[in-house]
Coordinates of all heavy atoms in Angstrom, one line a residue:
S27 N -7.5 7.1 23.1 CA -6.5 6.0 23.4 C -7.0 4.8 22.6 O -8.1 4.6 22.3 CB -6.6 5.7 24.9 OG -7.9 5.2 25.3
G28 N -6.0 3.9 22.3 CA -6.3 2.7 21.6 C -6.8 3.0 20.1 O -7.6 2.3 19.6
A29 N -6.3 4.1 19.5 CA -6.8 4.4 18.2 C -6.2 3.5 17.1 O -5.2 2.8 17.3 CB -6.3 5.8 17.8
S30 N -7.0 3.3 16.1 CA -6.6 2.5 14.9 C -7.1 3.2 13.6 O -8.0 4.0 13.7 CB -7.2 1.1 15.0 OG -8.6 1.1 14.9
A31 N -6.5 2.8 12.5 CA -6.9 3.4 11.2 C -7.3 2.2 10.3 O -6.6 1.2 10.2 CB -5.7 4.1 10.6
D32 N -8.5 2.3 9.8 CA -9.0 1.4 8.8 C -8.9 2.0 7.5 O -9.3 3.2 7.4 CB -10.5 1.0 9.1 CG -10.6 0.2 10.4 OD1 -9.8 -0.6 10.7 OD2 -11.6 0.4 11.1
F33 N -8.5 1.3 6.5 CA -8.3 1.9 5.2 C -8.4 0.9 4.1 O -8.3 -0.3 4.3 CB -7.0 2.7 5.0 CG -5.8 1.9 5.2 CD1 -5.1 1.4 4.1 CD2 -5.3 1.6 6.5 CE1 -4.0 0.7 4.3 CE2 -4.2 0.8 6.7 CZ -3.5 0.3 5.5
W34 N -8.7 1.3 2.9 CA -8.8 0.5 1.7 C -7.6 0.8 0.8 O -7.2 1.9 0.6 CB -10.0 0.8 0.9 CG -11.3 0.3 1.7 CD1 -11.9 1.1 2.6 CD2 -11.9 -0.9 1.6 NE1 -13.0 0.4 3.1 CE2 -13.0 -0.9 2.5 CE3 -11.7 -2.1 0.9 CZ2 -13.9 -1.9 2.7 CZ3 -12.6 -3.1 1.1 CH2 -13.6 -3.1 2.0
A35 N -7.0 -0.2 0.2 CA -5.8 0.0 -0.7 C -5.9 -1.1 -1.8 O -6.4 -2.2 -1.6 CB -4.5 -0.1 0.1
R36 N -5.2 -0.8 -2.9 CA -5.1 -1.7 -4.0 C -3.9 -1.4 -4.8 O -3.3 -0.3 -4.6 CB -6.3 -1.7 -4.9 CG -6.4 -0.4 -5.7 CD -7.6 -0.3 -6.6 NE -7.5 -1.1 -7.7 CZ -8.2 -1.0 -8.8 NH1 -9.2 -0.1 -8.9 NH2 -8.0 -1.8 -9.8
S37 N -3.5 -2.2 -5.7 CA -2.4 -1.8 -6.7 C -3.0 -1.8 -8.1 O -4.0 -2.5 -8.3 CB -1.2 -2.8 -6.6 OG -1.7 -4.1 -6.9
V38 N -2.4 -1.0 -8.9 CA -2.9 -0.9 -10.3 C -1.7 -1.2 -11.2 O -0.6 -0.6 -11.0 CB -3.4 0.5 -10.6 CG1 -3.8 0.7 -12.0 CG2 -4.6 0.8 -9.7
K39 N -1.9 -2.0 -12.3 CA -0.8 -2.3 -13.2 C -0.2 -1.0 -13.8 O -1.0 -0.1 -14.2 CB -1.4 -3.2 -14.3 CG -0.4 -3.6 -15.4 CD 0.2 -4.9 -15.1 CE 1.1 -5.4 -16.3 NZ 2.3 -5.9 -15.8
N40 N 1.1 -1.0 -13.8 CA 1.8 0.2 -14.3 C 2.9 -0.3 -15.3 O 3.9 -0.8 -15.0 CB 2.5 0.9 -13.2 CG 3.2 2.2 -13.6 OD1 3.0 2.7 -14.7 ND2 4.1 2.6 -12.8
S41 N 2.6 -0.2 -16.6 CA 3.5 -0.6 -17.7 C 3.8 -2.1 -17.6 O 2.9 -2.8 -17.3 CB 4.7 0.3 -17.6 OG 5.5 0.1 -18.8
T42 N 5.0 -2.5 -18.0 CA 5.3 -3.9 -18.1 C 6.1 -4.5 -17.1 O 6.5 -5.7 -17.1 CB 6.0 -4.1 -19.5 OG1 7.2 -3.4 -19.5 CG2 5.1 -3.7 -20.6
G43 N 6.5 -3.8 -16.0 CA 7.3 -4.3 -15.0 C 6.6 -5.3 -14.1 O 5.4 -5.5 -14.1
T44 N 7.4 -5.9 -13.3 CA 6.9 -6.9 -12.3 C 7.2 -6.5 -10.9 O 7.0 -7.3 -10.0 CB 7.5 -8.3 -12.6 OG1 9.0 -8.2 -12.4 CG2 7.2 -8.8 -14.0
R45 N 7.6 -5.3 -10.6 CA 8.1 -4.9 -9.3 C 6.9 -4.4 -8.4 O 6.1 -3.5 -8.8 CB 9.0 -3.7 -9.5 CG 9.9 -3.4 -8.3 CD 10.8 -2.3 -8.6 NE 11.7 -2.5 -9.7 CZ 12.9 -3.1 -9.6 NH1 13.3 -3.5 -8.5 NH2 13.7 -3.2 -10.7
P46 N 6.7 -5.0 -7.2 CA 5.7 -4.6 -6.3 C 6.1 -3.3 -5.6 O 7.3 -3.0 -5.5 CB 5.6 -5.7 -5.3 CG 6.8 -6.6 -5.5 CD 7.4 -6.2 -6.8
A47 N 5.1 -2.6 -5.0 CA 5.3 -1.5 -4.2 C 5.3 -2.0 -2.7 O 4.6 -3.0 -2.4 CB 4.2 -0.4 -4.3
I48 N 6.1 -1.4 -1.9 CA 6.2 -1.8 -0.4 C 5.6 -0.6 0.3 O 6.0 0.5 0.2 CB 7.6 -2.1 0.0 CG1 8.3 -3.1 -0.9 CG2 7.7 -2.4 1.5 CD1 7.6 -4.5 -0.8
V49 N 4.6 -0.9 1.2 CA 3.9 0.2 1.9 C 4.2 0.0 3.4 O 4.0 -1.1 4.0 CB 2.4 0.1 1.7 CG1 1.7 1.2 2.5 CG2 2.1 0.3 0.2
K50 N 4.7 1.1 4.0 CA 5.1 1.0 5.5 C 4.4 2.3 6.2 O 4.4 3.3 5.6 CB 6.6 1.0 5.7 CG 7.2 -0.2 5.1 CD 8.7 -0.2 5.4 CE 9.4 -1.4 4.8 NZ 10.9 -1.4 4.9
F51 N 4.0 2.0 7.4 CA 3.5 3.1 8.2 C 4.5 3.4 9.4 O 5.1 2.5 9.9 CB 2.2 2.7 8.9 CG 1.0 2.8 7.9 CD1 1.1 3.0 6.6 CD2 -0.3 2.8 8.5 CE1 0.0 3.1 5.8 CE2 -1.4 2.9 7.7 CZ -1.3 3.0 6.3
Y52 N 4.6 4.6 9.7 CA 5.4 5.1 10.9 C 4.6 6.1 11.6 O 3.7 6.7 11.1 CB 6.7 5.8 10.4 CG 7.6 5.1 9.5 CD1 7.3 5.0 8.1 CD2 8.7 4.5 10.0 CE1 8.2 4.3 7.3 CE2 9.6 3.8 9.1 CZ 9.3 3.7 7.8 OH 10.2 3.1 6.9
T53 N 4.8 6.3 12.9 CA 4.2 7.3 13.7 C 5.2 8.2 14.4 O 6.3 7.8 14.6 CB 3.2 6.7 14.8 OG1 4.0 5.9 15.7 CG2 2.1 5.9 14.1

């Protein structure tokens, strides 16, 4: 009960665009 997830994340440059990634969690 009362579980949580701890995690590490980053972004890495991909070519010449300026578009960010959007990250969402669902259960």
Side-chain angles (χ1 to χ4, degrees):
S27 65
S30 67
D32 292 324
F33 61 99
W34 293 88
R36 69 180 288 195
S37 58
V38 176
K39 179 96 173 132
N40 181 20
S41 195
T42 60
T44 59
R45 196 179 304 270
I48 305 298
V49 179
K50 295 180 181 177
F51 281 15
Y52 303 81
T53 58

